Amino acid sequence: MKVLVLASGGDAPGMNKFIATLYKKYGKSLYACRGFKGLYENEIFPASHFKPLKHENEPGCCIYACRFPEFKEKKYFEVAVQNAKNFDAVVVLGGNGSKRGVRALADNGVRAVFVPGTIDNDVEESATSIGFDTAVTSVVNAVNGLMPSMRSHTRAVIVETMGRNCGEIALAAGKKLGAEVIITQKEQLDEEALASLIKTRYEKNLATLIVIKENICDIAKLATRLAKVVAPAEVKSFVVGHLQRGSQPSAKDLSVAHKFAHGTIKAIGTDALPIAVMLRAGHTILKKI
Ligand code: F6P
């Protein structure tokens, strides 16, 4: 039995727990590579090379993570498929985009397992993904460190979260923080309404928190435009950025990663690959790809 594990796309806190749990099960039979790029280049190593047990509870991804858009191109994809066929199971951690890549591998006869490993939580069929809880907690902690100063000066602040095309981090963190406005889609951005809200709150000596998902607008420019309209109230902007990926995995994410790993082991054991492992109501579900 030879099992390959790789992380496609961004790293996510809890991935190391997932990899270490697979390593405890498969030992010398577990191999790893740097995303789909490593698969294409056939740069594949025994997982022990990356010391998964040493990194078990750390953030990041000890086997390295990688974006490899070329994977969609036939000449790269076909080589990757051939290399993947040297394994009894190829386990891919990633988000919605990677899931499409796994489906393509599966359609070409690769015994693939897809596992939602992304802070974005953009895999619809799964209630959560490895890293999402830590990302939300990182946003909450960062903004909690910001607001006392904003309140002291009765300022408004626009906070940008990650999430790519998915508003889950902004939504979950915004709700936990009691944000006045949460924006997850372009159509929700109403500058006049924001200015009016900031003014009204400023007159009552209240700060304003606006949480917005990335890729909607340039928040520094938005803050400058709003500041001109709401003066003397001031408007700041703050991008939480990669803190969302690099923070210590939360207890919840460690547990989620452990559950996904056991679901993956079960999937490989069923001999019914290709399979996507999803988490619903606290339990893993194995879905045929
Ligand atoms: O997919 C995870 C993610 O963190 C997204 O939320 C974000 O858009 C992207 O990766 C950032 O990627 P990079 O680290 O390559 O800039």
Side-chain angles (χ1 to χ4, degrees):
M1 162 79 79
K2 277 174 83 184
V3 177
L4 174 67
V5 61
L6 63 90
S8 156
D11 54 291
M15 277 185 174
N16 284 333
K17 168 66 85 187
F18 177 88
I19 295 158
T21 309
L22 290 195
Y23 182 66
K24 284 176 196 167
K25 169 73 183 169
Y26 299 111
K28 284 184 183 155
S29 308
L30 185 70
Y31 293 78
C33 64
R34 187 192 280 265
F36 286 135
K37 184 169 191 282
L39 182 62
Y40 162 71
E41 290 170 347
N42 212 14
E43 287 280 308
I44 297 173
F45 304 93
S48 59
H49 183 94
F50 303 99
K51 301 194 169 43
L53 300 183
K54 181 173 168 239
H55 300 291
E56 180 166 359
N57 293 316
E58 294 173 5
C61 180
C62 66
I63 59 171
Y64 301 102
C66 179
R67 301 195 190 284
F68 187 56
E70 296 88 341
F71 186 69
K72 290 191 198 110
E73 293 173 36
K74 199 171 172 219
K75 66 174 179 182
Y76 294 93
F77 178 72
E78 282 177 351
V79 175
V81 167
Q82 285 321 309
N83 295 338
K85 284 188 177 166
N86 293 325
F87 294 89
D88 299 293
V90 175
V91 181
V92 178
L93 288 157
N96 208 22
S98 311
K99 189 170 159 233
R100 285 191 287 275
V102 175
R103 175 155 298 138
L105 286 175
D107 289 345
N108 284 274
V110 173
R111 293 168 47 80
V113 183
F114 171 74
V115 177
T118 167
I119 62 164
D120 299 342
N121 200 19
D122 62 352
V123 180
E124 269 183 26
E125 306 95 310
S126 191
T128 196
S129 54
I130 297 172
F132 173 64
D133 183 68
T134 309
V136 173
T137 306
S138 306
V139 175
V140 170
N141 290 343
V143 176
N144 277 338
L146 198 67
M147 289 316 285
S149 174
M150 295 300 129
R151 284 192 282 269
S152 302
H153 292 266
T154 319
R155 285 173 172 158
V157 60
I158 306 165
V159 171
E160 181 185 287
T161 69
M162 280 188 169
R164 197 176 290 266
N165 301 319
C166 180
E168 291 275 304
I169 299 176
L171 208 56
K175 281 184 188 167
K176 284 191 187 200
L177 287 160
E180 276 65 49
V181 183
I182 304 171
I183 301 170
T184 59
Q185 286 162 15
K186 273 204 171 73
E187 309 76 65
Q188 295 168 338
L189 178 58
D190 178 343
E191 293 196 24
E192 257 178 51
L194 287 180
S196 150
L197 178 75
I198 293 169
K199 265 190 192 167
T200 311
R201 290 181 61 83
Y202 178 78
E203 279 153 19
K204 293 180 187 163
N205 262 329
L206 295 170
T208 303
L209 171 61
I210 299 156
V211 176
I212 183 164
K213 181 189 77 71
E214 66 178 350
N215 300 333
I216 288 184
C217 69
D218 180 327
I219 61 162
K221 288 185 181 158
L222 174 62
T224 308
R225 283 198 300 277
L226 286 172
K228 281 189 188 143
V229 186
V230 301
E234 293 170 276
V235 186
K236 300 285 178 188
S237 62
F238 175 69
V239 178
V240 186
H242 287 79
L243 281 179
Q244 289 159 98
R245 295 230 300 260
S247 297
Q248 191 62 33
S250 66
K252 183 170 177 197
D253 267 330
L254 291 175
S255 155
V256 162
H258 193 256
K259 282 183 186 173
F260 271 120
H262 280 283
T264 301
I265 292 166
K266 202 167 151 194
I268 295 171
T270 60
D271 205 26
L273 306 187
I275 275 178
V277 186
M278 301 296 170
L279 198 64
R280 282 193 220 144
H283 298 285
T284 49
I285 291 172
L286 308 185
K287 276 195 68 184
K288 196 90 185 110
I289 295 179

PDB file of all heavy atoms in Angstrom, residues 11 36 65 73 89 134 136 154 184 249 268 274 285 288:
ATOM      1  N   ASP A  11      -1.810  26.903   2.493  1.00  0.00           N
ATOM      2  CA  ASP A  11      -1.734  26.108   3.720  1.00  0.00           C
ATOM      3  C   ASP A  11      -2.910  26.493   4.619  1.00  0.00           C
ATOM      4  O   ASP A  11      -3.505  27.560   4.431  1.00  0.00           O
ATOM      5  CB  ASP A  11      -0.419  26.411   4.451  1.00  0.00           C
ATOM      6  CG  ASP A  11      -0.251  27.895   4.695  1.00  0.00           C
ATOM      7  OD1 ASP A  11      -0.055  28.634   3.719  1.00  0.00           O
ATOM      8  OD2 ASP A  11      -0.377  28.331   5.857  1.00  0.00           O
ATOM      9  N   PHE A  36       0.237  20.005  -6.460  1.00  0.00           N
ATOM     10  CA  PHE A  36       0.156  19.388  -7.780  1.00  0.00           C
ATOM     11  C   PHE A  36       1.462  19.606  -8.567  1.00  0.00           C
ATOM     12  O   PHE A  36       1.780  18.845  -9.475  1.00  0.00           O
ATOM     13  CB  PHE A  36      -1.029  19.954  -8.574  1.00  0.00           C
ATOM     14  CG  PHE A  36      -2.367  19.455  -8.090  1.00  0.00           C
ATOM     15  CD1 PHE A  36      -3.447  20.323  -7.924  1.00  0.00           C
ATOM     16  CD2 PHE A  36      -2.563  18.099  -7.806  1.00  0.00           C
ATOM     17  CE1 PHE A  36      -4.681  19.855  -7.491  1.00  0.00           C
ATOM     18  CE2 PHE A  36      -3.796  17.629  -7.368  1.00  0.00           C
ATOM     19  CZ  PHE A  36      -4.846  18.502  -7.207  1.00  0.00           C
ATOM     20  N   ALA A  65       2.978  23.660   0.619  1.00  0.00           N
ATOM     21  CA  ALA A  65       1.736  23.845  -0.147  1.00  0.00           C
ATOM     22  C   ALA A  65       2.113  24.629  -1.398  1.00  0.00           C
ATOM     23  O   ALA A  65       3.163  25.263  -1.441  1.00  0.00           O
ATOM     24  CB  ALA A  65       0.719  24.619   0.674  1.00  0.00           C
ATOM     25  N   GLU A  73      -3.678  22.615 -17.611  1.00  0.00           N
ATOM     26  CA  GLU A  73      -3.256  22.409 -19.017  1.00  0.00           C
ATOM     27  C   GLU A  73      -2.956  20.942 -19.261  1.00  0.00           C
ATOM     28  O   GLU A  73      -2.283  20.298 -18.446  1.00  0.00           O
ATOM     29  CB  GLU A  73      -2.003  23.240 -19.315  1.00  0.00           C
ATOM     30  CG  GLU A  73      -2.256  24.727 -19.298  1.00  0.00           C
ATOM     31  CD  GLU A  73      -0.958  25.508 -19.420  1.00  0.00           C
ATOM     32  OE1 GLU A  73      -0.039  25.057 -20.149  1.00  0.00           O
ATOM     33  OE2 GLU A  73      -0.854  26.554 -18.776  1.00  0.00           O
ATOM     34  N   ALA A  89      -3.550   5.369  -3.250  1.00  0.00           N
ATOM     35  CA  ALA A  89      -4.471   6.462  -2.921  1.00  0.00           C
ATOM     36  C   ALA A  89      -3.696   7.777  -2.981  1.00  0.00           C
ATOM     37  O   ALA A  89      -2.549   7.843  -2.517  1.00  0.00           O
ATOM     38  CB  ALA A  89      -5.055   6.262  -1.528  1.00  0.00           C
ATOM     39  N   THR A 134      -9.673  28.537  12.893  1.00  0.00           N
ATOM     40  CA  THR A 134      -8.493  29.313  13.312  1.00  0.00           C
ATOM     41  C   THR A 134      -8.476  30.669  12.606  1.00  0.00           C
ATOM     42  O   THR A 134      -8.143  31.690  13.215  1.00  0.00           O
ATOM     43  CB  THR A 134      -7.190  28.549  12.978  1.00  0.00           C
ATOM     44  OG1 THR A 134      -7.309  27.234  13.488  1.00  0.00           O
ATOM     45  CG2 THR A 134      -5.975  29.226  13.566  1.00  0.00           C
ATOM     46  N   VAL A 136     -11.026  32.400  11.526  1.00  0.00           N
ATOM     47  CA  VAL A 136     -12.052  33.266  12.126  1.00  0.00           C
ATOM     48  C   VAL A 136     -11.545  33.791  13.477  1.00  0.00           C
ATOM     49  O   VAL A 136     -11.648  34.992  13.775  1.00  0.00           O
ATOM     50  CB  VAL A 136     -13.384  32.491  12.297  1.00  0.00           C
ATOM     51  CG1 VAL A 136     -14.402  33.308  13.079  1.00  0.00           C
ATOM     52  CG2 VAL A 136     -13.950  32.112  10.923  1.00  0.00           C
ATOM     53  N   THR A 154     -13.211  57.437  18.640  1.00  0.00           N
ATOM     54  CA  THR A 154     -14.492  57.414  17.911  1.00  0.00           C
ATOM     55  C   THR A 154     -14.251  57.336  16.396  1.00  0.00           C
ATOM     56  O   THR A 154     -14.762  58.140  15.617  1.00  0.00           O
ATOM     57  CB  THR A 154     -15.368  58.646  18.262  1.00  0.00           C
ATOM     58  OG1 THR A 154     -15.269  58.869  19.650  1.00  0.00           O
ATOM     59  CG2 THR A 154     -16.831  58.410  17.915  1.00  0.00           C
ATOM     60  N   THR A 184     -19.938  40.902   2.058  1.00  0.00           N
ATOM     61  CA  THR A 184     -19.335  39.699   1.459  1.00  0.00           C
ATOM     62  C   THR A 184     -19.490  39.680  -0.063  1.00  0.00           C
ATOM     63  O   THR A 184     -18.965  38.796  -0.707  1.00  0.00           O
ATOM     64  CB  THR A 184     -19.966  38.417   2.047  1.00  0.00           C
ATOM     65  OG1 THR A 184     -21.367  38.450   1.789  1.00  0.00           O
ATOM     66  CG2 THR A 184     -19.727  38.284   3.543  1.00  0.00           C
ATOM     67  N   PRO A 249      -3.136  26.546  15.324  1.00  0.00           N
ATOM     68  CA  PRO A 249      -4.458  25.934  15.092  1.00  0.00           C
ATOM     69  C   PRO A 249      -5.292  25.905  16.378  1.00  0.00           C
ATOM     70  O   PRO A 249      -4.777  25.591  17.449  1.00  0.00           O
ATOM     71  CB  PRO A 249      -4.137  24.503  14.643  1.00  0.00           C
ATOM     72  CG  PRO A 249      -2.678  24.447  14.411  1.00  0.00           C
ATOM     73  CD  PRO A 249      -2.030  25.656  14.997  1.00  0.00           C
ATOM     74  N   ILE A 268      -9.932   5.159   2.396  1.00  0.00           N
ATOM     75  CA  ILE A 268      -8.906   4.341   1.719  1.00  0.00           C
ATOM     76  C   ILE A 268      -9.185   2.860   1.983  1.00  0.00           C
ATOM     77  O   ILE A 268      -9.062   2.022   1.095  1.00  0.00           O
ATOM     78  CB  ILE A 268      -7.487   4.775   2.166  1.00  0.00           C
ATOM     79  CG1 ILE A 268      -7.216   6.208   1.691  1.00  0.00           C
ATOM     80  CG2 ILE A 268      -6.422   3.805   1.644  1.00  0.00           C
ATOM     81  CD1 ILE A 268      -5.948   6.848   2.234  1.00  0.00           C
ATOM     82  N   PRO A 274     -12.569   6.831  -6.233  1.00  0.00           N
ATOM     83  CA  PRO A 274     -12.348   8.131  -5.615  1.00  0.00           C
ATOM     84  C   PRO A 274     -13.479   8.567  -4.678  1.00  0.00           C
ATOM     85  O   PRO A 274     -14.651   8.316  -4.961  1.00  0.00           O
ATOM     86  CB  PRO A 274     -12.270   9.066  -6.817  1.00  0.00           C
ATOM     87  CG  PRO A 274     -13.105   8.412  -7.863  1.00  0.00           C
ATOM     88  CD  PRO A 274     -12.955   6.933  -7.651  1.00  0.00           C
ATOM     89  N   ILE A 285     -18.438  12.197   6.362  1.00  0.00           N
ATOM     90  CA  ILE A 285     -19.279  11.497   5.386  1.00  0.00           C
ATOM     91  C   ILE A 285     -18.396  11.219   4.173  1.00  0.00           C
ATOM     92  O   ILE A 285     -17.633  12.102   3.738  1.00  0.00           O
ATOM     93  CB  ILE A 285     -20.468  12.391   4.974  1.00  0.00           C
ATOM     94  CG1 ILE A 285     -21.416  12.542   6.160  1.00  0.00           C
ATOM     95  CG2 ILE A 285     -21.209  11.832   3.770  1.00  0.00           C
ATOM     96  CD1 ILE A 285     -22.509  13.535   5.923  1.00  0.00           C
ATOM     97  N   LYS A 288     -18.847   9.591  -2.873  1.00  0.00           N
ATOM     98  CA  LYS A 288     -18.217   9.132  -4.110  1.00  0.00           C
ATOM     99  C   LYS A 288     -18.007  10.346  -5.019  1.00  0.00           C
ATOM    100  O   LYS A 288     -18.899  11.183  -5.153  1.00  0.00           O
ATOM    101  CB  LYS A 288     -19.188   8.122  -4.767  1.00  0.00           C
ATOM    102  CG  LYS A 288     -18.565   7.286  -5.804  1.00  0.00           C
ATOM    103  CD  LYS A 288     -17.972   5.987  -5.240  1.00  0.00           C
ATOM    104  CE  LYS A 288     -17.253   5.250  -6.359  1.00  0.00           C
ATOM    105  NZ  LYS A 288     -15.822   5.213  -6.275  1.00  0.00           N
TER     106      LYS A 288
END
